[in-house]
Amino acid sequence: MANILSGAPSLAIDIVPVLARPMLEMSGVSKRFGTLEVLREVSLSVQAGEVVVVIGPSGSGKTTLLRCINLLEDYERGIVTVDGEPVGYRLDAGNQRVRLPEREIAAARGKIGIVFQSFNLFPHMNVLQNITAAPVRVKGISRAQAEARARELLAMVGLSDKAAEHPVRLSGGQQQRVAIVRALAMDPKIMLFDEVTSALDPELVGEVLAAMQQLARAGMTMVVVTHEMSFARDIADRIVFMDDGVIVEQGKPEQLLFSPTTDRVRAFLKRYNDRYRI
Amino acid sequence: MKEFAPLLHGYWYLFRGAEMTLLMAAAAVVPATFVGILLALAQVFGNRFARSAVVGYLFVIRGIPLLVLLTFVYYLLPLTGIDLPPFWGVVVVMALYYAAFMSEVFRAGILSLPRAQWDAARSLGMTRQLMLRIVIFPQALRLASPPFVSLCANLVKATSLVSIVGLWELTMASREIVERTLAPFQIFLGAAAIYFCICYTLALYGKYLERRALVGH
């Protein structure tokens, strides 16, 4: 794998990892699509600077879990807080859920970076505009400051020369790195990654994973949904296994991947190992 | 060549008629576009009442020929006591009529954007207004621009109907020349050529917009 970060400036992200402080708290989150219950009373706590990788079979609720964190998907029960602040709902004095005003929800979302499987860059904007649009319009940062920061982050992922290009002229791996930079430009407190390598050619996967590894090393709090088991093993502080809308098992990578305690995880890993090697 | 002498004598009159046609079309396109966008927004983002009202309006408008509507309003306006010059009466009717079709074009443009674009904008902390302004509208309008231009060409041709209610424009001017020269084929050939030139120019512009709409997709 080519090291895309070789020769790049040192990481330009100001993160002070303070462990043992919950950055993300999900408690009792339930979500249904019609009659299908996709999340069932899911509770998850992620410490500041921790990298949590979520694995599980397709349809187990991994993506919905991520989308509920920043309320891209509304949920029927439960509460989510990031750095102690509620994201979509707060509890009132009578312990009833109260939905926050849209403006507050938007502000809370701005503190949560998310990178999607299909990049989702804005095709009518060039790379620099994609990255600076939200910092300028949402956070009110000056354009010059936002552009300087964007160029710094682009250099970090080895894309300095692509600032003026439109997304359609970039490879999938490059687009995904721009998507990571776009999320980072908002200085998020936590980053969510939703199967970010699934839509990429195998040859392009490495460059995206390298950028994520650099972020993890810098102490960014991350929740990563992935099917890349070896990457999960390398990057995760903790792996969470989901199935049928619940967290079945969680633990250190070595423990969960090599000596799981539940039959469900063992069966999943066996099927995975039959096809790939971890 | 001698057969086309009436056309050569009357061409200036036809051009003046064409000028009126263009003026009328331009005066109708602007409010039609504005109302069309509002109707599209009401249909996409409005509450149930707003959506039902817009759907009802589209249903009625689509079911009535423009000529019937023009004639109806032509006879209705004097009865209501509204003193509107015929030119502006016609412009209002055409604007409201074409707004219905334009709203469908804009609505399709908005809805054809993948949900992922909305998700990406929301995930960056954008409010709905900001998201619409900088992410959704620029893309939706680009996608809608080719059919929009096609509708504009349609509107230009539809102005020929207003001669029925006595308004003077290219078709009416042609009929007047025909009455004087008794050369309908030559004169209407000339009028058709002028309509064609206007609409062909719009079609070329539509093609250009279509190519531009594909940039980045």
Side-chain angles (χ1 to χ4, degrees):
Chain A
M1 179 182 78
N3 183 4
I4 58 153
L5 303 169
S6 60
S10 59
L11 190 67
I13 301 165
D14 184 22
I15 300 165
V16 183
V18 183
L19 290 175
R21 175 169 64 92
M23 181 55 80
L24 168 68
E25 285 276 12
M26 296 181 85
S27 50
V29 172
S30 294
K31 164 74 188 169
R32 54 169 66 241
F33 291 115
T35 55
L36 181 68
E37 204 164 12
V38 189
L39 295 180
R40 294 187 285 161
E41 301 280 337
V42 173
S43 294
L44 178 69
S45 179
V46 179
Q47 305 300 307
E50 190 181 15
V51 177
V52 171
V53 171
V54 184
I55 62 170
S58 296
S60 58
K62 308 184 296 291
T63 293
T64 307
L65 178 87
L66 278 198
R67 291 173 62 85
C68 284
I69 292 174
N70 64 356
L71 208 69
L72 284 183
E73 215 65 75
D74 208 347
Y75 42 93
E76 286 81 36
R77 285 199 304 277
I79 288 286
V80 176
T81 63
V82 168
D83 204 15
E85 293 174 21
V87 178
Y89 296 90
R90 65 177 172 78
L91 291 178
D92 66 8
N95 238 15
Q96 293 296 307
R97 279 193 344 155
V98 179
R99 191 179 167 91
L100 298 174
E102 285 307 312
R103 198 161 280 278
E104 281 182 38
I105 292 174
R109 281 198 189 110
K111 294 170 188 164
I112 305 167
I114 184 165
V115 184
F116 303 93
Q117 182 177 342
S118 51
F119 331 132
N120 300 1
L121 295 177
F122 305 132
H124 61 299
M125 298 182 189
N126 67 24
V127 166
L128 200 62
Q129 290 164 337
N130 259 284
I131 299 166
T132 57
V136 171
R137 310 282 192 130
V138 175
K139 291 184 81 179
I141 294 171
S142 75
R143 188 166 296 281
Q145 210 178 339
E147 286 188 1
R149 172 81 172 136
R151 289 183 194 283
E152 199 178 353
L153 289 168
L154 280 172
M156 183 190 107
V157 296
L159 291 174
S160 298
D161 56 333
K162 303 293 182 190
E165 296 284 5
H166 274 79
V168 74
R169 300 185 71 84
L170 303 179
S171 71
Q174 289 170 332
Q175 288 192 51
Q176 198 57 294
R177 281 184 278 156
V178 172
I180 292 173
V181 166
R182 181 174 69 174
L184 286 176
M186 289 294 283
D187 288 324
K189 293 182 171 177
I190 182 170
M191 285 285 287
L192 314 174
F193 294 87
D194 183 16
E195 298 188 30
V196 293
T197 56
S198 299
L200 298 177
D201 288 341
E203 284 185 332
L204 302 176
V205 169
E207 60 192 59
V208 174
L209 297 185
M212 290 169 67
Q213 257 158 348
Q214 188 173 356
L215 262 182
R217 278 199 300 272
M220 172 62 81
T221 311
M222 292 163 57
V223 180
V224 182
V225 169
T226 186
H227 289 297
E228 302 271 342
M229 292 299 178
S230 54
F231 174 67
R233 187 190 59 195
D234 292 344
I235 198 174
D237 294 313
R238 179 162 43 121
I239 295 183
V240 168
F241 179 86
M242 281 190 76
D243 189 28
D244 202 17
V246 294
I247 293 176
V248 176
E249 186 176 342
Q250 52 183 314
K252 295 266 180 207
E254 300 75 29
Q255 180 261 312
L256 191 133
L257 293 177
F258 299 110
S259 45
T261 56
T262 56
D263 290 342
R264 181 65 191 93
V265 180
R266 266 195 291 273
F268 174 79
L269 291 174
K270 182 175 184 316
R271 266 205 301 276
Y272 185 87
N273 277 325
D274 287 347
R275 195 175 299 176
Y276 314 99
R277 284 176 63 85
I278 297 179
Chain B
M1 200 63 201
K2 198 176 146 191
E3 289 78 17
F4 283 93
L7 184 58
L8 290 174
H9 282 113
Y11 81 95
W12 191 244
Y13 201 64
L14 285 182
F15 280 145
R16 279 180 49 206
E19 197 183 334
M20 198 61 186
T21 291
L22 282 174
L23 193 68
M24 198 181 295
V29 158
V30 175
T33 306
F34 184 70
V35 176
I37 289 175
L38 288 182
L39 291 175
L41 288 177
Q43 222 181 333
V44 177
F45 302 109
N47 56 26
R48 189 182 297 178
F49 175 75
R51 285 202 307 270
S52 306
V54 173
V55 169
Y57 177 72
L58 301 185
F59 189 73
V60 170
I61 289 289
R62 278 195 302 230
I64 303 175
L66 178 59
L67 183 58
V68 173
L69 206 60
L70 282 168
T71 317
F72 179 73
V73 173
Y74 178 76
Y75 287 112
L76 180 76
L77 274 183
L79 296 178
T80 58
I82 299 172
D83 187 19
L84 201 62
F87 176 86
W88 290 110
V90 160
V91 163
V92 167
V93 171
M94 291 190 71
L96 293 177
Y97 187 81
Y98 274 90
F101 297 95
M102 285 182 181
S103 80
E104 288 296 83
V105 165
F106 294 128
R107 189 173 72 96
I110 293 170
L111 295 181
S112 65
L113 284 183
R115 186 183 161 190
Q117 287 291 300
W118 301 76
D119 283 350
R122 285 198 297 161
S123 75
L124 289 166
M126 293 185 192
T127 56
R128 180 189 272 188
Q129 290 93 324
L130 180 62
M131 174 170 70
L132 289 175
R133 206 170 69 233
I134 72 172
V135 176
I136 305 302
F137 281 163
Q139 295 186 72
L141 293 180
R142 273 189 195 195
L143 293 171
S145 54
F148 170 75
V149 172
S150 174
L151 262 181
C152 290
N154 216 318
L155 190 148
V156 169
K157 288 185 283 184
T159 56
S160 63
L161 296 176
V162 307
S163 63
I164 300 290
V165 291
L167 235 73
W168 191 81
E169 41 65 67
L170 179 54
T171 302
M172 177 73 112
S174 309
R175 276 166 46 194
E176 285 175 0
I177 302 174
V178 169
E179 280 166 17
R180 287 201 306 269
T181 60
L182 301 177
F185 295 113
Q186 296 89 325
I187 299 302
F188 278 108
L189 198 64
I194 293 174
Y195 277 119
F196 176 80
C197 286
I198 295 170
C199 293
Y200 186 64
T201 308
L202 281 171
L204 287 180
Y205 184 59
K207 281 278 174 208
Y208 162 76
L209 290 177
E210 198 173 327
R211 278 198 304 275
R212 234 188 54 170
L214 293 175
V215 172
H217 286 274

